[in-house]
Amino acid sequence: KAACSTETPRSEFTVVLLATGMATDGAGSTFNWLRDVLTSLPLALTRRLAALYLVHPALRTRLAFALLGIMLWGRLTFIDRLEQLRQAFPPGALLLPQFVMQHEFIASLKRSA
């Protein structure tokens, strides 16, 4: 489940989007969702978005985000391994769901095989 706040940030903020386990054919809906979010956000809020981290994206999801990347220029980071995410945030700053950790473990086993 996503953690959401109804409070509008008054300073720069960061979004971590967990794409772990997203169906590879879900890129079309991902593209539509991202387009809708980016076009519906007030410009002042979009400007305060400091960074968007996309964790465990499938290829089609990467492509959907790359197509809209101009709106996120310099703020979009694809995260393939959780170690990359840990380098960007201080210890204890993120609470990741168990399924994300399991995905990382299984992927590491496949990489080492």
Side-chain angles (χ1 to χ4, degrees):
K1 255 188 170 178
C4 296
S5 172
T6 57
E7 191 174 316
T8 303
R10 299 189 191 288
S11 60
E12 285 191 342
F13 65 99
T14 297
V15 174
V16 177
L17 178 61
L18 303 174
T20 307
M22 183 182 273
T24 55
D25 62 349
S29 58
T30 302
F31 181 85
N32 293 337
W33 173 83
L34 180 61
R35 184 193 62 220
D36 291 348
V37 167
L38 292 175
T39 56
S40 65
L41 286 175
L43 187 57
L45 188 59
T46 304
R47 288 182 179 156
R48 284 189 227 124
L49 176 63
L52 172 63
Y53 293 91
L54 184 58
V55 180
H56 297 144
L59 179 60
R60 288 185 182 180
T61 304
R62 283 178 184 264
L63 293 174
F65 274 79
L67 288 172
L68 290 172
I70 193 71
M71 297 177 83
L72 300 167
W73 188 259
R75 298 180 278 180
L76 176 61
T77 303
F78 294 113
I79 301 292
D80 296 314
R81 297 181 181 175
L82 293 182
E83 183 58 36
Q84 296 168 285
L85 197 59
R86 289 185 191 106
Q87 292 172 1
F89 292 90
L94 295 175
L95 180 60
L96 298 173
Q98 188 62 34
F99 75 90
V100 174
M101 306 300 283
Q102 288 172 337
H103 179 275
E104 182 77 8
F105 178 73
I106 292 168
S108 69
L109 290 177
K110 289 179 182 178
R111 285 190 294 268
S112 65

